[in-house]
């Protein structure tokens, strides 16, 4: 009886700590964002979120996110496939390189790209001749977003591909199935939920990226500002209500992604049980 009471006490204590943590770190900030965004009324909120600079920042955020997710879905799938299906020298080194964006500060990544593609770079004259501008332009923002989000799809696919092994694929190959048939009919059904989950994580990270993008954007209003950068500018100009209003857009998109992730987890579990 004593052990049961002790285990219940520990159980409720841990639950209470988690609830308190979530209230302080998540719920209260969300409440503050909503209340501050609507502080001066619905009309002011609508004006802030429909402002031309806000719309331009939203479009750029979505553009960078879509391109980064597409690139990292293909690259992550190829990298995970190469690591789990082939033996080659330097495999561990490759996996270490893939994890670099997680370990390196985004600001440092932005500075590195600034040095590689900026005016002081040996590549700059060639880029200028080709009329390609990366730093303080949209390509730099996309490049930074791709860099910081690269590991997410790879890291979700890697354990799944390792766990399913190659037996089914080898059996299909012996029976004469081609590469695409093997992937689409045998491999993809096993990895589809991990792939979708990685895409959701990659999307969420891309939408909220600030550090690397801030270094490479140049903060050109209406041209190279993403939503997080636009929020920073409004806040620095003491336009607190518009800043919170624009922040609410990011909150809404984050909630949508959380709902999508929950649906995918539910469907994935039901499929496993079936």
């Amino acid at each position: 009886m004593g052990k049961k009471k002790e285990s219940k006490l520990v159980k409720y204590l841990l639950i209470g700590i988690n609830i308190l943590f979530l209230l302080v770190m998540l719920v209260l900030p969300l409440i503050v964002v909503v209340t501050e965004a609507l502080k001066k009324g619905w009309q002011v909120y609508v004006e802030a979120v429909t402002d031309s600079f806000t719309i331009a920042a939203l479009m750029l955020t979505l553009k960078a996110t879509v391109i980064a997710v597409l690139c990292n879905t293909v690259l992550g799938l190829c990298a995970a496939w190469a690591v789990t299906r082939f033996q080659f020298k330097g495999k561990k080194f490759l996996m270490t390189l893939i994890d670099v964006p997680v370990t390196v500060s985004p600001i440092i990544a932005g500075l590195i790209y600034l040095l590689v593609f900026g005016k002081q770079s040996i590549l700059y004259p060639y880029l200028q001749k080709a009329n390609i501008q990366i730093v303080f332009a949209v390509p730099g923002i996309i490049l930074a977003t791709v860099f910081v989000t690269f590991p997410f799809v790879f890291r979700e696919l890697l354990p799944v591909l390792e766990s399913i092994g190659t037996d089914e694929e080898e059996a299909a190959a012996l029976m004469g199935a081609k590469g695409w048939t093997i992937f689409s009919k045998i491999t993809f059904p096993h990895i589809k939920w991990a792939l979708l989950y990685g895409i959701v994580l990659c999307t969420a990270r891309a939408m909220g990226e600030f550090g690397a993008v801030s270094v490479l954007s140049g903060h050109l209003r209406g041209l190279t500002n993403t939503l997080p950068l636009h929020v920073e500018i409004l806040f620095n100009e003491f336009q607190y209500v518009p800043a919170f209003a624009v922040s609410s857009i990011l909150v809404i998109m984050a909630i949508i992604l959380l709902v999508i992730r929950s649906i995918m987890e539910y469907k994935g579990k039901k499929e496993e049980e079936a």
Side-chain angles (χ1 to χ4, degrees):
M1 291 293 290
K3 286 185 178 180
K4 284 185 178 180
K5 285 183 179 179
E6 187 178 337
S7 63
K8 280 188 177 181
L9 180 64
V10 173
K11 172 186 172 182
Y12 291 121
L13 180 63
L14 291 174
I15 292 171
I17 291 171
N18 281 295
I19 291 172
L20 181 63
F21 178 82
L22 289 172
L23 283 172
V24 174
M25 301 300 293
L26 183 62
V27 177
L28 288 179
L30 288 176
I31 292 172
V32 169
V33 169
V34 173
T35 54
E36 289 295 323
L38 298 172
K39 193 174 184 179
K40 292 186 178 179
W42 181 254
Q43 187 175 351
V44 175
Y45 175 84
V46 172
E47 287 176 1
V49 297
T50 56
D51 178 73
S52 59
F53 291 130
T54 302
I55 298 298
L58 175 61
M59 290 299 103
L60 180 56
T61 301
L62 293 176
K63 181 180 180 180
T65 299
V66 169
I67 295 174
V69 170
L70 288 174
C71 289
N72 288 332
T73 299
V74 175
L75 294 173
L77 182 57
C78 291
W81 190 273
V83 168
T84 56
R85 295 298 182 263
F86 301 100
Q87 295 296 328
F88 55 91
K89 290 182 179 179
K91 181 191 286 190
K92 289 185 178 179
F93 180 66
L94 175 63
M95 294 177 67
T96 302
L97 286 179
I98 292 171
D99 285 334
V100 165
V102 177
T103 57
V104 173
S105 167
I107 294 177
I108 300 301
L111 288 172
I112 291 170
Y113 282 121
L114 191 64
L115 292 173
V116 172
F117 299 109
K119 286 187 177 181
Q120 69 281 3
S121 167
I122 58 173
L123 298 176
Y124 184 75
Y126 303 102
L127 293 172
Q128 200 172 28
K129 283 181 182 179
N131 198 28
I132 298 173
Q133 186 176 354
I134 294 178
V135 175
F136 306 147
V138 173
I141 292 170
I142 293 171
L143 191 64
T145 307
V146 170
F147 176 82
V148 299
T149 57
F150 178 71
F152 288 96
V153 174
F154 170 79
R155 277 296 164 193
E156 289 299 320
L157 289 175
L158 184 65
V160 179
L161 284 171
E162 285 180 339
S163 65
I164 64 175
T166 60
D167 292 344
E168 292 181 28
E169 296 166 2
E170 289 172 358
L174 289 171
M175 293 173 69
K178 302 296 182 183
W180 175 250
T181 304
I182 294 172
F183 175 77
S184 60
K185 300 294 184 182
I186 295 173
T187 309
F188 184 73
H190 290 295
I191 67 169
K192 64 180 180 181
W193 295 115
L195 179 62
L196 289 171
Y197 191 64
I199 289 171
V200 170
L201 292 177
C202 184
T203 303
R205 181 69 179 85
M207 288 193 311
E209 172 51 28
F210 179 84
V213 169
S214 178
V215 175
L216 289 170
S217 72
H219 295 275
L220 304 176
R221 210 166 194 169
L223 296 174
T224 62
N225 270 345
T226 58
L227 277 179
L229 299 182
H230 187 49
V231 171
E232 182 200 26
I233 287 176
L234 291 172
F235 196 82
N236 289 338
E237 292 177 348
F238 305 103
Q239 299 185 55
Y240 297 126
V241 173
F244 280 106
V246 176
S247 298
S248 70
I249 299 174
L250 289 169
V251 171
I252 291 167
M253 291 194 295
I255 291 171
I256 290 170
L257 287 173
L258 284 173
V259 171
I260 293 171
R261 190 191 73 172
S262 299
I263 292 170
M264 288 192 304
E265 286 181 345
Y266 174 74
K267 286 188 175 181
K269 285 180 180 177
K270 281 196 75 174
E271 193 171 291
E272 285 178 6
E273 289 173 1

